Every structure is written in structure tokens, then in C-alpha cells.
């Protein structure tokens, strides 16, 4: 007599979202909301530091300002999307992955742009470099948080629950010789 045991795992994922756009001021009190606001402010201050300089036309200043303004607009638009639950309405779009890749890229771009600005012998560029390095840390931390969320299977807004059930089935066979 031989016994065979088979185990099957059934995974059920439930996503709960509200499909209408609404204003939610609580997002700015959350850690991701605070990080987005910090990034927006740091982008803007770094941009202003370069722009008030007489040497803002230099290529390193233009590069820093390009990085700062793209970061400013992306973070600002994402903040508005989260405040009005646009991400929840369109929950099938992988918002967390998009943000994770953007934040990782901006961490590297800010490291480069800030290093170039710091190497310039212009006080305004060096001030911008300080704010750029701060933005680099903020974007890096945000990328880390997004990575953890993506790894856990979360969605940007709303809730997703994953239930796993294991079913065990035993099959007995009788072999006679």
C-alpha cells in the first residue's frame, strides 16, 4: 500500500478601491505625502539658487535646473494625484513602480547634478548643491519605501488583501503482487 499526499495552494487577491475622485487632506500628513512636499520644496529652492546666479547659463547650472524642474513637476503632479485619489481611481496603473523607478533615477541624477554644482566656484551653485543633496536623500528614501511597498504587493491607494489557503489531499493506492 502506498500513500501519496498532494498539497495545493489557492491564492485569492481582493482589491478594494473607491472609483470616484475626492479630496483627501490626510495624505499630506502621511510619510509619503511629507516626502513629496519636501522634494517639491527642495527642487524649487535648488532651482532658485541656480537661477539667481549670474552664471546660471553654464551647462552645469542648466543640467541642475533641468533635474530640479522635472523633479518638481513630477512630484507635484503625483502629490495632486494622491490628494484627489486619482491613483485609486486608476489602480490598474502600476503607480508604485513608476514612482519607484523615477525616485531611483532622480537619486542618481541629483547626485550627479549636485556634485557638478558643488564643484563650481560659485556660492549660489554650492547652495544649490546642498539642497540637491538633500533632495537626493529624500528621493532615495522615497524609492526605498516604494520598493518595500512593491515587494509586499501593495497598491498606491486603496487596499489589497491576499489570502492563501492550502488544501491537502491524500491518495491511497493499494498495490498487490
Amino acid at each position: 500500500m502506498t500513500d501519496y499526499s498532494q498539497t495545493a495552494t489557492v491564492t485569492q487577491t481582493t482589491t478594494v478601491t473607491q472609483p470616484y475622485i475626492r479630496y483627501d487632506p490626510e495624505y499630506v500628513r502621511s510619510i509619503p505625502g511629507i516626502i513629496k512636499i519636501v522634494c517639491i520644496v527642495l527642487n524649487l529652492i535648488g532651482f532658485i539658487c541656480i537661477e539667481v546666479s549670474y552664471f546660471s547659463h553654464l551647462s552645469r547650472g542648466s543640467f541642475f535646473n533641468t533635474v530640479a524642474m522635472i523633479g518638481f513637476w513630477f512630484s507635484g503632479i503625483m502629490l495632486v494625484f494622491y490628494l484627489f485619489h486619482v491613483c485609486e481611481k486608476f489602480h490598474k496603473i502600476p503607480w508604485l513602480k513608476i514612482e519607484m523607478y523615477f525616485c531611483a533615477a532622480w537619486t542618481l541624477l541629483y547626485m550627479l547634478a549636485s556634485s557638478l554644482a558643488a564643484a563650481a566656484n560659485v556660492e549660489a551653485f554650492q547652495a544649490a548643491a546642498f539642497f540637491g543633496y538633500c533632495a537626493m536623500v529624500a528621493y532615495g528614501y522615497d524609492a526605498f519605501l516604494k520598493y518595500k511597498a512593491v515587494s509586499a504587493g501593495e497598491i498606491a491607494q486603496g487596499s489589497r488583501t491576499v489570502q492563501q489557503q492550502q488544501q491537502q489531499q491524500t491518495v491511497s493506492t493499494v498495490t498487490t503482487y
Side-chain angles (χ1 to χ4, degrees):
M1 182 166 146
T2 309
D3 288 338
Y4 293 102
S5 180
Q6 294 177 335
T7 303
T9 302
V10 179
T11 303
Q12 180 180 2
T13 304
T14 307
T15 303
V16 180
T17 59
Q18 295 180 3
Y20 55 90
I21 294 176
R22 64 196 183 282
Y23 176 67
D24 181 16
E26 291 297 315
Y27 181 73
V28 295
R29 292 183 189 97
S30 68
I31 290 175
I34 292 168
I35 292 173
K36 275 190 189 36
I37 292 170
V38 166
C39 286
I40 290 168
V41 169
L42 291 171
N43 285 320
L44 191 58
I45 292 173
F47 175 80
I48 291 171
C49 286
I50 296 289
E51 278 302 305
V52 299
S53 170
Y54 179 73
F55 301 102
S56 63
H57 64 281
L58 294 177
S59 59
R60 63 183 67 198
S62 296
F63 177 65
F64 187 95
N65 278 348
T66 301
V67 171
M69 277 297 98
I70 293 173
F72 173 82
W73 285 107
F74 181 84
S75 298
I77 290 168
M78 289 308 297
L79 178 64
V80 170
F81 280 7
Y82 279 108
L83 279 174
F84 289 97
H85 285 262
V86 174
C87 295
E88 186 173 7
K89 180 172 177 64
F90 301 106
H91 69 276
K92 297 209 184 267
I93 296 173
W95 295 108
L96 289 177
K97 282 186 181 179
I98 292 168
E99 282 190 279
M100 180 184 69
Y101 292 133
F102 178 85
C103 290
W106 247 243
T107 301
L108 297 173
L109 286 172
Y110 254 121
M111 182 177 63
L112 179 60
S114 298
S115 296
L116 289 170
N121 197 16
V122 179
E123 290 177 2
F125 278 47
Q126 292 170 349
F130 170 76
F131 293 109
Y133 285 129
C134 292
M136 177 191 73
V137 171
Y139 278 116
Y141 183 61
D142 201 16
F144 172 71
L145 292 178
K146 299 299 186 252
Y147 174 76
K148 283 178 45 178
V150 167
S151 296
E154 296 177 15
I155 57 175
Q157 284 181 316
S159 64
R160 177 177 284 169
T161 57
V162 177
Q163 297 176 346
Q164 290 188 346
Q165 297 176 348
Q166 290 191 351
Q167 299 174 345
Q168 190 163 12
Q169 185 177 30
T170 305
V171 178
S172 297
T173 35
V174 177
T175 309
T176 57
Y177 295 99

